[in-house]
Amino acid sequence: MTKENDPNAARKTWMSLLAKSDAGVLSQIWDKADIAPDFRFLRAPEIGGVMVRGRAGAVGAAFNLGEMTVTRCSVTLNSGAVGHAYVQGRDKKKAEVAAQIDALMQTDLAAQVEAAVLAPLRKIAETAKQTRAAKAAATKVDFFTMVRGED
Amino acid sequence: MYVAVKGGEKAIDNAHAWLAEERRGDTSVAELSVAQIREQLALAVNRVMAEGSLYDPDLAALAIKQSRGDLIEAIFLIRAYRTTLPRFGGSEPVDTEKMACDRRVSATFKDAPGGQVLGPTFDYTHRLLDFKLAADGEAPQAPMTDAPPAETPHIMSFLDRENLIQDEPAGPKVPDDLTRAPLELPASRALRLQALTRGDEGFILGMAYSTQRGYARNHAFVAELRIGAVPVEMDIPELGFAVDIGEVTLTECETVNQFQGSKTEPPQFTRGYGLVFGMTERKAISMALVDRALRWKELGEDNVGAPAQDEEFVLYHADNIQATGFLEHIKLPHYVDFQSELELIRKLRREAQAVQEAAE
């Protein structure tokens, strides 16, 4: 399914962003946004593992590479909106906040959450990615031929 | 025969208390934090994650602190912790083509699209001790070059286009898992790769080196070595679609190997594959060489009896936790076993002496 006609594309994007965010940074931005809703747990934060897979030769049969730690959580708001989180690491607060954000993004508060939480998170992630790419680019080799043998 | 004995509790408690004190070392020296280990001993952390088979830098750093820097002991701690985690599921296979590469080099094509990117490498350093690091210094800063995001296609895809490289067959969606069922032989390639990626770096390196020195030589070129971050995607059962649940740094090595052809395969290049958690390039290259050596049967090659071709030898001895568990158990009390050995030797000697005396 391409991104354009995937009805879940937007939700995928924000859930993915939350999963990969730094727990400390997310907590800071969330507290500052001051939009914590009333909620109750459908599933209290739970720490577990996910088996990460690769492919033989990058393109062939799948194999098990090893596990990573993941914390999951599900919440429901008073409005009935349900939010889920599967986030990297073992930070229960991160999973709880991510589930609340997922729920809020399905309500009228979506625009507010997007501006106060997701946009700054996205900016931090993009800056980090660009900085690393720029450092890598500085180590790209420029070949030049010194002498070409004639015999 | 086992005989239950009691005793030694106090000695054990005191030994562990002393261990804790020795771990801390001289208290006039500042204590190491877990974050310092995670940030400044990152390659040790990477090795513990790869062989502990659990990607979690903070846990690996804690394990290194607890084990006083004994990495196999740290790996043991991570393996033990891992078994306590409920398994939420398995990810989609990671797409290494989309890796955000910190490093990407090819030994086979100079002008690879995407270029040769060295990254933060020890290569080309002079291996001279840097005494500046022993003094407090300023934090160094890497130069940056603005670059438009470039695609870095796998080098192998170019050979593939010319049909010069062996196909990688598809496999089942859920691969065999040696953490769920005992490893039985012959092992599928999926099981071999799983055992190699979590295997001991020193053992895999030694096995790989043996193939280079001529024991099942398969003349490997590093077609591509890349290190960087890839997202990990998993189907979320509550939602019915997949989302990224995190991001891991991986090292991937693809080797291309000369192949003269066999009874079943035409002359072509064949592949060896290494994929390992973290920045673990020696391990990934070694894994690719050993993977290739173990593939002799499916490629119709001869078994020349080399250790690296022997899957039982390689796979059953690659795991350093299994190895150290069995090895180190022999230092634990075997008093009764040994008592019987002692009786036996005394008896044999008595008999031998009696025979000798009778002959005289």
Side-chain angles (χ1 to χ4, degrees):
Chain A
M1 201 178 285
T2 60
K3 231 174 181 168
E4 291 75 47
N5 59 19
D6 180 354
N8 302 313
R11 194 170 181 194
K12 264 183 168 171
T13 307
W14 77 62
M15 287 185 77
S16 300
L17 177 68
L18 291 165
K20 290 182 279 193
S21 67
D22 177 82
V25 170
L26 175 62
S27 166
Q28 223 176 357
I29 291 175
W30 175 247
D31 290 345
K32 201 171 135 213
D34 198 23
I35 42 176
D38 284 336
F39 71 94
R40 80 191 157 74
F41 286 121
L42 292 172
R43 170 154 54 208
E46 179 191 13
I47 298 169
V50 164
M51 180 54 91
V52 181
R53 297 191 174 123
R55 285 190 186 286
V59 292
F63 70 97
N64 293 307
L65 183 63
E67 284 166 288
M68 63 185 274
T69 50
V70 171
T71 305
R72 66 180 172 186
C73 177
S74 299
V75 301
T76 177
L77 310 184
N78 291 337
S79 64
V82 171
H84 298 292
Y86 276 77
V87 299
Q88 182 165 22
R90 290 166 293 112
D91 192 301
K92 290 184 173 177
K93 173 91 192 295
K94 176 182 172 186
E96 188 184 310
V97 168
Q100 290 177 64
I101 293 169
D102 182 45
L104 283 173
M105 284 301 290
Q106 301 165 61
T107 68
D108 298 341
L109 286 170
Q112 201 187 328
V113 176
E114 165 62 38
V117 181
L118 297 180
L121 267 187
R122 197 173 296 120
K123 186 146 186 265
I124 289 167
E126 273 163 19
T127 306
K129 202 173 169 181
Q130 278 163 11
T131 304
R132 254 191 123 71
K135 287 177 190 171
T139 68
K140 192 163 167 176
V141 179
D142 289 321
F143 288 105
F144 52 91
T145 305
M146 296 179 70
V147 179
R148 190 179 287 277
E150 296 298 334
D151 45 22
Chain B
M1 185 176 73
Y2 286 95
V3 175
V5 290
K6 274 179 75 75
E9 289 93 338
K10 190 151 201 300
I12 291 169
D13 285 347
N14 290 346
H16 290 169
W18 193 17
L19 167 66
E21 187 188 298
E22 290 281 301
R23 174 189 295 123
R24 174 60 183 86
D26 182 348
T27 50
S28 67
V29 177
E31 187 181 355
L32 260 181
S33 73
V34 169
Q36 284 172 333
I37 295 171
R38 186 193 64 220
E39 295 302 312
Q40 297 175 39
L41 296 177
L43 299 190
V45 167
N46 285 181
R47 180 167 176 194
V48 170
M49 294 197 299
E51 295 171 36
S53 205
L54 184 69
Y55 196 99
D56 189 316
D58 289 299
L59 278 183
L62 173 63
I64 290 168
K65 179 170 179 173
Q66 187 177 333
S67 67
R68 309 179 66 195
D70 179 339
L71 296 190
I72 291 186
E73 183 71 21
I75 291 159
F76 201 161
L77 294 169
I78 292 299
R79 290 275 186 95
Y81 175 84
R82 192 202 68 77
T83 61
T84 67
L85 291 176
R87 172 88 57 93
F88 292 163
S91 81
E92 297 294 314
V94 289
D95 185 356
T96 54
E97 178 107 0
K98 301 235 170 69
M99 182 182 281
C101 295
D102 287 350
R103 170 164 169 80
R104 191 272 199 140
V105 293
S106 170
T108 53
F109 293 104
K110 179 166 70 75
D111 299 312
Q116 307 268 354
V117 176
L118 300 182
T121 179
F122 291 125
D123 292 353
Y124 316 109
T125 63
H126 294 108
R127 267 75 183 209
L128 298 173
L129 278 175
D130 180 359
F131 290 98
K132 283 200 304 264
L133 290 172
D136 280 340
E138 306 228 316
Q141 277 205 314
M144 296 201 259
T145 303
D146 276 330
E151 296 282 315
T152 44
H154 275 122
I155 303 286
M156 285 294 194
S157 60
F158 304 117
L159 290 172
D160 200 19
R161 235 174 272 160
E162 279 189 73
N163 235 344
L164 293 176
I165 185 93
Q166 146 261 327
D167 274 341
E168 283 296 3
K173 191 168 161 42
V174 178
D176 299 334
D177 184 354
L178 61 79
T179 69
R180 289 300 163 98
L183 179 61
E184 283 182 15
L185 303 175
S188 60
R189 177 126 185 259
L191 277 180
R192 299 198 303 250
L193 291 169
Q194 185 181 11
L196 292 176
T197 191
R198 73 210 295 265
D200 182 76
E201 178 174 314
F203 180 84
I204 308 290
L205 169 65
M207 281 289 130
Y209 181 44
S210 75
T211 70
Q212 289 186 296
R213 289 195 64 252
Y215 292 87
R217 183 193 298 280
N218 51 47
H219 203 92
F221 292 97
V222 172
E224 186 169 1
L225 179 72
R226 54 168 71 193
I227 303 176
V230 294
V232 179
E233 201 181 40
M234 183 175 78
D235 251 320
I236 305 299
E238 294 88 335
L239 299 175
F241 57 83
V243 304
D244 292 352
I245 54 168
E247 188 176 64
V248 294
T249 295
L250 301 176
T251 303
E252 181 184 57
C253 176
E254 291 188 275
T255 57
V256 53
N257 304 67
Q258 277 177 9
F259 185 58
Q260 309 293 326
S262 67
K263 284 168 223 125
T264 56
E265 302 292 322
Q268 60 187 320
F269 290 116
T270 56
R271 311 163 182 254
Y273 190 64
L275 186 68
V276 185
F277 278 157
M279 188 174 183
T280 41
E281 134 176 356
R282 182 184 306 114
K283 170 76 173 286
I285 300 170
S286 302
M287 176 176 169
L289 263 56
V290 178
D291 170 50
R292 176 61 186 78
L294 287 172
R295 303 185 66 196
W296 63 272
K297 207 182 285 177
E298 64 214 46
L299 296 167
E301 289 176 322
D302 291 332
N303 179 4
V304 298
Q309 287 182 308
D310 183 336
E311 75 172 356
E312 179 174 344
F313 186 83
V314 174
L315 301 183
Y316 280 12
H317 300 108
D319 192 289
N320 51 27
I321 300 310
Q322 280 173 9
T324 205
F326 197 61
L327 182 108
E328 293 198 48
H329 101 278
I330 65 172
K331 73 191 173 188
L332 300 176
H334 282 66
Y335 305 138
V336 176
D337 286 356
F338 189 69
Q339 197 68 36
S340 69
E341 299 278 314
L342 205 56
E343 289 297 325
L344 181 64
I345 288 289
R346 283 177 181 146
K347 181 166 170 267
L348 291 173
R349 282 182 72 114
R350 270 197 307 271
E351 284 167 9
Q353 209 170 3
V355 170
Q356 204 174 15
E357 279 167 10
E360 282 165 6

